[in-house]
Amino acid sequence: TQFLTKVQGMPKQIEAALSHKIGDFLWNSHRSHPVGLDRLQRPLSEGGINLLDIKARNQTIDITWLSTYMNLSPTCPTWAFTTDIMI
């Protein structure tokens, strides 16, 4: 889930394996895929099917984590201070 990915992270090899499994599922495990995943991940208006882009989602999760870490307001989470000490 997105929550677990945010909390635990997702290793690159898992990200790649999931993308591969999605392609195999869509194309019934054919060796070559007639349409690339990058094309299918586009919006409907651009000829895609709005397929989940796991890599982009994980990058977005990383950016939101960084945004929370960089929050310098009084609402800054305690873990950010602990991280600063560890770094």
Side-chain angles (χ1 to χ4, degrees):
T1 65
Q2 188 169 345
F3 172 76
L4 288 176
T5 302
K6 186 170 185 177
V7 173
Q8 299 173 338
M10 181 182 290
K12 296 294 180 194
Q13 64 268 23
I14 299 298
E15 182 181 291
L18 283 173
S19 292
H20 184 74
K21 293 281 186 195
I22 290 170
D24 284 349
F25 174 78
L26 287 171
W27 302 118
N28 202 17
S29 299
H30 288 248
R31 293 190 126 200
S32 65
H33 302 160
V35 179
L37 288 179
D38 59 327
R39 177 74 170 199
L40 296 174
Q41 291 164 344
R42 295 179 187 175
L44 293 171
S45 62
E46 295 178 19
I49 61 170
N50 284 328
L51 185 67
L52 173 66
D53 184 347
I54 293 175
K55 183 176 181 178
R57 186 194 67 160
N58 289 342
Q59 288 174 341
T60 303
I61 290 171
D62 290 344
I63 290 169
T64 60
W65 183 89
L66 182 61
S67 174
T68 303
Y69 173 71
M70 298 299 292
N71 178 3
L72 301 177
S73 73
T75 62
C76 182
T78 306
W79 64 262
F81 296 112
T82 306
T83 302
D84 284 339
I85 292 168
M86 292 177 7
I87 294 176

